[in-house]
Amino acid sequence: MRTLILITSHFPYYPGESFIETEFPFLYPAFDRVIIIARDVSSIKARPLPSGVKIYLYNPSSTLFEYLSVPVLLTRNLKNTVSILK
C-alpha cells in the first residue's frame, strides 16, 4: 500500500500554498492512501479534496486529540516515514 504523507503550512485550508492545489490532482491517483498534516491553520474554509483524504491539524489551536494524533500517525506508518527520510 502506497501512502502519501503531505505536511503543509496551510493546505488544504486558505490562504496560501495554491501550487499544491494545482499539483494535487496529479499526485493523488498515484497513492492508495493520502494523509495531509496541516500546520498554522487560521481559516476554516478548505479547498475541495477527493473523498478518502485524511486531514490532520497540527497547530497551537488544535485539540489535544489532534495534537497527539500526529506522532501516532507517524508511528503507525514508521516504515513509510523511514523510507521517506532516507
Side-chain angles (χ1 to χ4, degrees):
M1 175 181 270
R2 295 182 61 179
T3 302
L4 171 65
I5 300 173
L6 189 59
I7 302 172
T8 68
S9 289
H10 305 286
F11 185 83
Y13 298 92
Y14 291 98
E17 298 176 327
S18 58
F19 68 94
I20 298 174
E21 185 174 13
T22 305
E23 296 174 5
F24 194 76
F26 299 100
L27 285 172
Y28 176 75
F31 295 90
D32 302 312
R33 195 167 78 171
V34 177
I35 300 165
I36 299 174
I37 302 171
R39 303 182 66 225
D40 302 322
V41 176
S42 59
S43 172
I44 58 170
K45 185 177 179 186
R47 294 170 173 90
L49 295 174
S51 63
V53 174
K54 301 258 187 199
I55 302 170
Y56 295 90
L57 302 179
Y58 189 73
N59 62 27
S61 63
S62 293
T63 65
L64 180 59
F65 175 76
E66 291 169 333
Y67 182 76
L68 295 176
S69 66
V70 173
V72 170
L73 177 67
L74 293 175
T75 302
R76 283 188 186 165
N77 293 289
L78 187 59
K79 182 179 177 183
N80 294 335
T81 304
V82 170
S83 67
I84 290 169
L85 294 175
K86 285 183 180 180

